[in-house]
Amino acid sequence: MKLYIKQKVFSWKDKFTIYDENGNEAYFVEGELFTIGKKLNLFDRDNNQLAHIHQKVLSFLPRFFIEMNGKDIAEVVKHFTLFKQKFSVTGYDWQVDGDFLAHEYEIYRNEYTIATISKEWFTFGDAYSIDITDDVDPVGVICVVLIIDAILAQTNNNRGASIAINT
């Protein structure tokens, strides 16, 4: 399955649209305004909420949770490393590896690639191409991509600050 994430640029809050490989809107994401920590909500095209992403504030390293049906089902953590960025996704038992500065990375489970993510360059706003294996729920992958995008944006904006407040 191939998906494309496109960020809406002129908006007071974070907004993304996710398209399928035929260019049809499959999902959309809206951020919440005036919150402590980043909060995003993922919806299907019928406006049903599929996931809620929220950041743990007052954490030494960036840490986000993926919530579905009122329960935290996964946690994405950026690990402390000196030269190469590393992320893990507990709950799904995924690892994320690649060139995060170039926004080219893969999500692994048991050393098998389950999703390949690449940033589309020269677009107005962030845009990503995601290639997901057929046996993986795309909602979890979309959430992980959005979280990594948020962490990298906060890292670039805060120049290494470990606590970010989204206003």
Side-chain angles (χ1 to χ4, degrees):
M1 168 187 297
K2 197 154 185 110
L3 296 173
Y4 303 94
I5 297 178
K6 179 73 174 122
Q7 180 182 23
K8 185 175 180 181
V9 178
F10 296 110
S11 176
W12 287 100
K13 54 187 176 180
D14 291 324
K15 285 190 176 188
F16 297 86
T17 304
I18 296 100
Y19 300 93
D20 65 16
E21 54 197 294
N22 298 319
N24 300 315
E25 289 186 21
Y27 308 96
F28 67 95
V29 177
E30 287 191 5
E32 296 179 16
L33 275 178
F34 307 115
T35 62
I36 296 176
K38 174 125 358 228
K39 293 181 182 175
L40 302 169
N41 296 293
L42 175 64
F43 301 91
D44 65 12
R45 67 178 129 221
D46 296 324
N47 208 27
N48 298 311
Q49 185 173 2
L50 303 175
H52 174 71
I53 298 168
H54 55 99
Q55 179 182 12
K56 180 177 181 179
V57 292
L58 303 176
S59 176
F60 177 68
L61 295 171
R63 182 178 303 264
F64 283 77
F65 295 94
I66 301 170
E67 180 183 308
M68 293 182 186
N69 299 319
K71 296 181 182 177
D72 286 339
I73 61 156
E75 178 182 23
V76 179
V77 178
K78 181 179 184 281
H79 295 275
F80 179 75
T81 57
L82 294 177
F83 300 109
K84 189 174 182 180
Q85 296 189 48
K86 183 176 170 91
F87 296 86
S88 64
V89 185
T90 58
Y92 288 129
D93 295 324
W94 296 347
Q95 297 295 319
V96 186
D97 192 21
D99 184 354
F100 295 100
L101 294 176
H103 297 275
E104 304 281 336
Y105 55 94
E106 295 179 335
I107 300 173
Y108 296 91
R109 177 179 31 194
N110 300 329
E111 299 182 20
Y112 294 102
T113 302
I114 61 169
T116 304
I117 297 89
S118 61
K119 184 171 185 173
E120 302 288 324
W121 296 101
F122 307 112
T123 61
F124 202 58
D126 288 338
Y128 295 95
S129 171
I130 307 172
D131 195 6
I132 305 170
T133 60
D134 291 334
D135 62 336
V136 175
D137 178 23
V139 171
V141 174
I142 292 167
C143 289
V144 170
V145 171
L146 293 169
I147 289 168
I148 291 174
D149 179 68
I151 290 171
L152 295 176
Q154 287 176 350
T155 301
N156 290 339
N157 290 340
N158 297 330
R159 297 182 190 159
S162 61
I163 300 171
I165 297 177
N166 183 30
T167 57

